[in-house]
Amino acid sequence: MRRFVKFFATVALGCLVLGNVAAKKKTPKKSDDPSLPPPPKFDPQIPIGHDAQVVKLPHYANGKLEMLFSIGLAKRSDNYHLNMSGVTVETFDETGATGMTIKLATSVLDLNTEILTSNEPVTIRRDD
């Protein structure tokens, strides 16, 4: 019985040590590698190559809501571009009132420059 307990304790200790070493190897390390591209200024947290349906992305400037993107379908094509369809963009003024409503069938948002482009007609409505 003693041998069994010693053997079992040795095996359990070995598994713990090996598991701990394997976990340390898998931990990603932060590097200041200049070859890696910098992250985009506006990051909607959609993985590259994946779709997201019915997305609402707020955009804040100086702590105030500046724009609200309501997107039917969003797909992140690469680290710096977001392809969107069925988009409604609402802009807000300093008081929080709606300034403009912009509707786009399809568009591409450059996440670094924050420029929205479309090759199709766009509808822009203002309250005034």
Side-chain angles (χ1 to χ4, degrees):
M1 183 72 178
R2 254 186 182 174
R3 278 190 198 172
F4 177 73
V5 172
K6 282 184 180 180
F7 175 75
F8 184 72
T10 305
V11 170
L13 183 63
C15 288
L16 286 173
V17 169
L18 289 176
N20 199 9
V21 169
K24 284 184 181 179
K25 286 183 181 179
K26 290 181 182 179
T27 304
K29 295 180 181 178
K30 288 187 175 181
S31 66
D32 296 329
D33 189 4
S35 65
L36 293 175
K41 286 171 40 177
F42 178 60
D43 193 5
Q45 301 298 317
I46 297 173
I48 296 172
H50 290 283
D51 294 350
Q53 295 181 348
V54 189
V55 178
K56 290 196 182 250
L57 296 174
H59 184 265
Y60 293 92
N62 299 325
K64 293 187 178 185
L65 182 63
E66 188 176 75
M67 286 186 254
L68 179 64
F69 291 83
S70 299
I71 307 166
L73 179 67
K75 182 172 183 166
R76 186 93 175 250
S77 59
D78 59 19
N79 200 31
Y80 301 107
H81 296 94
L82 185 65
N83 297 327
M84 304 179 289
S85 61
V87 180
T88 301
V89 181
E90 290 181 86
T91 63
F92 300 95
D93 60 9
E94 295 82 23
T95 63
T98 303
M100 280 190 290
T101 303
I102 305 165
K103 294 192 180 210
L104 303 106
T106 60
S107 61
V108 177
L109 177 65
D110 188 320
L111 300 173
N112 261 341
T113 61
E114 298 176 358
I115 295 175
L116 185 64
T117 57
S118 178
N119 294 328
E120 296 180 13
V122 176
T123 303
I124 301 174
R125 297 190 195 271
R126 289 180 29 170
D127 289 339
D128 54 353

